[in-house]
Amino acid sequence: MISKEFIMQNFPQGKVTIGKSSFAASLALNLAQHGKKSVFFSLEMSKEQLIRRMKMQVGDENYVSSSAMIIINDTPAAKLPEIEEQLNKESADYVFIDYLQLINSEFEGSRSDEAAHIMDKLKQWAEEFKVTIIIFSQLIREWPRGLPRPQNWVKQPSLSSLGSLFPDALNGVNIKLI
């Protein structure tokens, strides 16, 4: 559960915070201010864009003091071996991946099987590297063509849409809708 202090510190009154990427950046910044090192895989936006968002949240001076604790990898469509290589190279307390659907696994099979493969690898690495991995994901608004649509699916973002798309991938995963 996120504390009131966390919310007040990272989402101050009079400031605008947009989207999941900003929330992920806030988490990484907060952890850095508490001496925790993070590796942040920004698969959607460039390192420069992410740094600009972080600076908007905490200011230039506070960002500079926290930046040594946040390693940003902005390889678009990062492949699983690249993620593993970064984990081998950097000792970190937390890993952020923004976002799940942009990870390239080079897996042959259905998207659901691919997602299960990705999640299995990430679970394995969380244990192996003794790191907390936090993954962000897009929730769907339109059902993908060619996939059977569950009868209970509604046209709004929800965790059930993610689970319906990747039913086998989310076993044993702590899911939070933020």
Side-chain angles (χ1 to χ4, degrees):
M1 177 151 197
I2 298 173
S3 70
K4 180 180 178 184
E5 292 77 24
F6 177 82
I7 294 169
M8 298 299 285
Q9 186 176 35
N10 290 286
F11 302 97
Q13 193 172 25
K15 299 285 183 186
V16 176
T17 303
I18 300 173
K20 62 178 177 44
S21 298
S22 293
F23 185 73
S26 290
L27 286 172
L29 286 164
N30 186 280
L31 289 165
Q33 291 171 351
H34 288 92
K36 301 293 182 183
K37 188 173 182 180
S38 296
V39 176
F40 196 115
F41 291 93
S42 181
L43 309 180
E44 184 176 29
M45 68 175 72
S46 70
K47 182 176 184 175
E48 292 76 23
Q49 290 172 308
L50 185 59
I51 289 171
R52 193 171 332 121
R53 283 198 178 187
M54 289 179 169
K55 286 180 177 180
M56 285 174 25
Q57 290 184 28
V58 297
D60 288 349
E61 192 174 301
N62 286 333
Y63 172 76
V64 169
S65 68
S66 300
S67 64
M69 299 299 285
I70 304 170
I71 288 73
I72 299 172
N73 180 321
D74 64 350
T75 305
K79 295 176 177 68
L80 287 175
E82 294 166 342
I83 294 172
E84 183 178 27
E85 181 182 328
Q86 184 85 48
L87 294 174
N88 274 313
K89 193 168 44 171
E90 300 290 342
S91 175
D93 301 297
Y94 292 85
V95 173
F96 294 90
I97 300 176
D98 186 20
Y99 62 91
L100 173 64
Q101 287 88 340
L102 293 179
I103 296 174
N104 184 346
S105 74
E106 299 180 335
F107 182 84
E108 298 292 327
S110 72
R111 184 61 180 145
S112 181
D113 290 342
E114 180 183 26
H117 172 73
I118 291 168
M119 294 306 296
D120 286 345
K121 280 298 201 185
L122 295 175
K123 289 178 211 175
Q124 174 190 336
W125 294 336
E127 290 179 18
E128 180 181 332
F129 295 106
K130 295 178 180 31
V131 64
T132 299
I133 299 177
I134 302 169
I135 306 165
F136 293 84
S137 177
Q138 293 281 18
L139 297 179
I140 62 170
R141 295 178 195 277
E142 295 292 332
W143 195 258
R145 287 185 188 159
L147 290 179
R149 186 179 345 183
Q151 288 181 338
N152 63 346
W153 187 76
V154 292
K155 194 175 181 177
Q156 65 186 41
S158 69
L159 284 177
S160 64
S161 66
L162 188 62
S164 295
L165 265 180
F166 310 119
D168 300 324
L170 303 177
N171 292 333
V173 174
N174 182 21
I175 301 174
K176 302 285 183 197
L177 184 57
I178 302 172

PDB file of all heavy atoms in Angstrom, residues 78-93:
ATOM      1  N   ALA A  78      13.459  -4.018 -26.239  1.00  0.00           N
ATOM      2  CA  ALA A  78      14.573  -4.786 -25.671  1.00  0.00           C
ATOM      3  C   ALA A  78      14.255  -6.272 -25.683  1.00  0.00           C
ATOM      4  O   ALA A  78      13.133  -6.680 -25.425  1.00  0.00           O
ATOM      5  CB  ALA A  78      14.854  -4.318 -24.250  1.00  0.00           C
ATOM      6  N   LYS A  79      15.252  -7.038 -26.004  1.00  0.00           N
ATOM      7  CA  LYS A  79      15.112  -8.491 -26.025  1.00  0.00           C
ATOM      8  C   LYS A  79      15.470  -9.048 -24.654  1.00  0.00           C
ATOM      9  O   LYS A  79      16.231  -8.441 -23.901  1.00  0.00           O
ATOM     10  CB  LYS A  79      16.019  -9.079 -27.095  1.00  0.00           C
ATOM     11  CG  LYS A  79      15.631  -8.671 -28.510  1.00  0.00           C
ATOM     12  CD  LYS A  79      16.633  -9.200 -29.517  1.00  0.00           C
ATOM     13  CE  LYS A  79      16.247  -8.878 -30.933  1.00  0.00           C
ATOM     14  NZ  LYS A  79      16.306  -7.477 -31.266  1.00  0.00           N
ATOM     15  N   LEU A  80      14.933 -10.210 -24.339  1.00  0.00           N
ATOM     16  CA  LEU A  80      15.202 -10.831 -23.042  1.00  0.00           C
ATOM     17  C   LEU A  80      16.699 -10.976 -22.751  1.00  0.00           C
ATOM     18  O   LEU A  80      17.136 -10.661 -21.641  1.00  0.00           O
ATOM     19  CB  LEU A  80      14.480 -12.174 -22.930  1.00  0.00           C
ATOM     20  CG  LEU A  80      12.967 -12.088 -22.738  1.00  0.00           C
ATOM     21  CD1 LEU A  80      12.351 -13.481 -22.768  1.00  0.00           C
ATOM     22  CD2 LEU A  80      12.607 -11.380 -21.449  1.00  0.00           C
ATOM     23  N   PRO A  81      17.528 -11.408 -23.708  1.00  0.00           N
ATOM     24  CA  PRO A  81      18.960 -11.511 -23.410  1.00  0.00           C
ATOM     25  C   PRO A  81      19.596 -10.163 -23.037  1.00  0.00           C
ATOM     26  O   PRO A  81      20.505 -10.113 -22.211  1.00  0.00           O
ATOM     27  CB  PRO A  81      19.570 -12.063 -24.703  1.00  0.00           C
ATOM     28  CG  PRO A  81      18.452 -12.778 -25.381  1.00  0.00           C
ATOM     29  CD  PRO A  81      17.209 -11.998 -25.019  1.00  0.00           C
ATOM     30  N   GLU A  82      19.101  -9.070 -23.629  1.00  0.00           N
ATOM     31  CA  GLU A  82      19.620  -7.741 -23.292  1.00  0.00           C
ATOM     32  C   GLU A  82      19.244  -7.364 -21.862  1.00  0.00           C
ATOM     33  O   GLU A  82      20.036  -6.758 -21.137  1.00  0.00           O
ATOM     34  CB  GLU A  82      19.088  -6.697 -24.276  1.00  0.00           C
ATOM     35  CG  GLU A  82      19.587  -6.898 -25.680  1.00  0.00           C
ATOM     36  CD  GLU A  82      18.815  -6.103 -26.729  1.00  0.00           C
ATOM     37  OE1 GLU A  82      17.680  -5.651 -26.453  1.00  0.00           O
ATOM     38  OE2 GLU A  82      19.350  -5.965 -27.826  1.00  0.00           O
ATOM     39  N   ILE A  83      18.033  -7.726 -21.455  1.00  0.00           N
ATOM     40  CA  ILE A  83      17.604  -7.457 -20.084  1.00  0.00           C
ATOM     41  C   ILE A  83      18.455  -8.272 -19.114  1.00  0.00           C
ATOM     42  O   ILE A  83      18.956  -7.742 -18.119  1.00  0.00           O
ATOM     43  CB  ILE A  83      16.095  -7.743 -19.910  1.00  0.00           C
ATOM     44  CG1 ILE A  83      15.270  -6.751 -20.747  1.00  0.00           C
ATOM     45  CG2 ILE A  83      15.698  -7.686 -18.437  1.00  0.00           C
ATOM     46  CD1 ILE A  83      13.790  -7.056 -20.814  1.00  0.00           C
ATOM     47  N   GLU A  84      18.662  -9.543 -19.423  1.00  0.00           N
ATOM     48  CA  GLU A  84      19.483 -10.392 -18.556  1.00  0.00           C
ATOM     49  C   GLU A  84      20.919  -9.870 -18.466  1.00  0.00           C
ATOM     50  O   GLU A  84      21.514  -9.850 -17.387  1.00  0.00           O
ATOM     51  CB  GLU A  84      19.480 -11.831 -19.072  1.00  0.00           C
ATOM     52  CG  GLU A  84      20.258 -12.783 -18.176  1.00  0.00           C
ATOM     53  CD  GLU A  84      20.226 -14.217 -18.660  1.00  0.00           C
ATOM     54  OE1 GLU A  84      20.068 -14.449 -19.878  1.00  0.00           O
ATOM     55  OE2 GLU A  84      20.350 -15.115 -17.812  1.00  0.00           O
ATOM     56  N   GLU A  85      21.460  -9.428 -19.588  1.00  0.00           N
ATOM     57  CA  GLU A  85      22.822  -8.877 -19.597  1.00  0.00           C
ATOM     58  C   GLU A  85      22.932  -7.664 -18.670  1.00  0.00           C
ATOM     59  O   GLU A  85      23.886  -7.528 -17.912  1.00  0.00           O
ATOM     60  CB  GLU A  85      23.215  -8.493 -21.027  1.00  0.00           C
ATOM     61  CG  GLU A  85      24.612  -7.932 -21.151  1.00  0.00           C
ATOM     62  CD  GLU A  85      24.935  -7.523 -22.584  1.00  0.00           C
ATOM     63  OE1 GLU A  85      24.425  -8.166 -23.532  1.00  0.00           O
ATOM     64  OE2 GLU A  85      25.699  -6.564 -22.743  1.00  0.00           O
ATOM     65  N   GLN A  86      21.929  -6.792 -18.726  1.00  0.00           N
ATOM     66  CA  GLN A  86      21.918  -5.603 -17.856  1.00  0.00           C
ATOM     67  C   GLN A  86      21.831  -6.017 -16.390  1.00  0.00           C
ATOM     68  O   GLN A  86      22.503  -5.441 -15.533  1.00  0.00           O
ATOM     69  CB  GLN A  86      20.740  -4.698 -18.217  1.00  0.00           C
ATOM     70  CG  GLN A  86      20.692  -3.396 -17.442  1.00  0.00           C
ATOM     71  CD  GLN A  86      21.556  -2.324 -18.068  1.00  0.00           C
ATOM     72  OE1 GLN A  86      21.497  -2.107 -19.260  1.00  0.00           O
ATOM     73  NE2 GLN A  86      22.346  -1.650 -17.270  1.00  0.00           N
ATOM     74  N   LEU A  87      21.027  -7.024 -16.086  1.00  0.00           N
ATOM     75  CA  LEU A  87      20.907  -7.503 -14.708  1.00  0.00           C
ATOM     76  C   LEU A  87      22.218  -8.118 -14.225  1.00  0.00           C
ATOM     77  O   LEU A  87      22.572  -7.978 -13.048  1.00  0.00           O
ATOM     78  CB  LEU A  87      19.764  -8.514 -14.589  1.00  0.00           C
ATOM     79  CG  LEU A  87      18.362  -7.963 -14.816  1.00  0.00           C
ATOM     80  CD1 LEU A  87      17.336  -9.082 -14.808  1.00  0.00           C
ATOM     81  CD2 LEU A  87      18.019  -6.903 -13.800  1.00  0.00           C
ATOM     82  N   ASN A  88      22.938  -8.791 -15.109  1.00  0.00           N
ATOM     83  CA  ASN A  88      24.247  -9.346 -14.754  1.00  0.00           C
ATOM     84  C   ASN A  88      25.271  -8.241 -14.511  1.00  0.00           C
ATOM     85  O   ASN A  88      26.146  -8.374 -13.660  1.00  0.00           O
ATOM     86  CB  ASN A  88      24.768 -10.270 -15.864  1.00  0.00           C
ATOM     87  CG  ASN A  88      24.258 -11.676 -15.730  1.00  0.00           C
ATOM     88  OD1 ASN A  88      24.281 -12.260 -14.659  1.00  0.00           O
ATOM     89  ND2 ASN A  88      23.772 -12.226 -16.832  1.00  0.00           N
ATOM     90  N   LYS A  89      25.130  -7.149 -15.263  1.00  0.00           N
ATOM     91  CA  LYS A  89      26.094  -6.052 -15.200  1.00  0.00           C
ATOM     92  C   LYS A  89      25.857  -5.126 -14.007  1.00  0.00           C
ATOM     93  O   LYS A  89      26.801  -4.648 -13.384  1.00  0.00           O
ATOM     94  CB  LYS A  89      26.014  -5.257 -16.503  1.00  0.00           C
ATOM     95  CG  LYS A  89      27.148  -4.297 -16.716  1.00  0.00           C
ATOM     96  CD  LYS A  89      27.225  -3.730 -18.139  1.00  0.00           C
ATOM     97  CE  LYS A  89      25.921  -3.303 -18.720  1.00  0.00           C
ATOM     98  NZ  LYS A  89      26.032  -2.581 -19.990  1.00  0.00           N
ATOM     99  N   GLU A  90      24.618  -4.862 -13.678  1.00  0.00           N
ATOM    100  CA  GLU A  90      24.258  -3.899 -12.639  1.00  0.00           C
ATOM    101  C   GLU A  90      23.636  -4.596 -11.439  1.00  0.00           C
ATOM    102  O   GLU A  90      22.652  -5.297 -11.577  1.00  0.00           O
ATOM    103  CB  GLU A  90      23.240  -2.877 -13.174  1.00  0.00           C
ATOM    104  CG  GLU A  90      23.695  -2.063 -14.343  1.00  0.00           C
ATOM    105  CD  GLU A  90      24.776  -1.067 -13.996  1.00  0.00           C
ATOM    106  OE1 GLU A  90      24.956  -0.748 -12.798  1.00  0.00           O
ATOM    107  OE2 GLU A  90      25.450  -0.606 -14.926  1.00  0.00           O
ATOM    108  N   SER A  91      24.195  -4.375 -10.296  1.00  0.00           N
ATOM    109  CA  SER A  91      23.569  -4.851  -9.063  1.00  0.00           C
ATOM    110  C   SER A  91      22.510  -3.825  -8.679  1.00  0.00           C
ATOM    111  O   SER A  91      22.822  -2.642  -8.520  1.00  0.00           O
ATOM    112  CB  SER A  91      24.628  -4.975  -7.970  1.00  0.00           C
ATOM    113  OG  SER A  91      24.024  -5.315  -6.766  1.00  0.00           O
ATOM    114  N   ALA A  92      21.269  -4.268  -8.578  1.00  0.00           N
ATOM    115  CA  ALA A  92      20.183  -3.329  -8.296  1.00  0.00           C
ATOM    116  C   ALA A  92      19.221  -3.931  -7.282  1.00  0.00           C
ATOM    117  O   ALA A  92      19.169  -5.141  -7.090  1.00  0.00           O
ATOM    118  CB  ALA A  92      19.429  -2.985  -9.580  1.00  0.00           C
ATOM    119  N   ASP A  93      18.468  -3.044  -6.627  1.00  0.00           N
ATOM    120  CA  ASP A  93      17.427  -3.471  -5.693  1.00  0.00           C
ATOM    121  C   ASP A  93      16.094  -3.657  -6.408  1.00  0.00           C
ATOM    122  O   ASP A  93      15.296  -4.505  -6.034  1.00  0.00           O
ATOM    123  CB  ASP A  93      17.263  -2.419  -4.586  1.00  0.00           C
ATOM    124  CG  ASP A  93      18.549  -2.196  -3.823  1.00  0.00           C
ATOM    125  OD1 ASP A  93      19.018  -3.158  -3.177  1.00  0.00           O
ATOM    126  OD2 ASP A  93      19.111  -1.082  -3.888  1.00  0.00           O
TER     127      ASP A  93
END
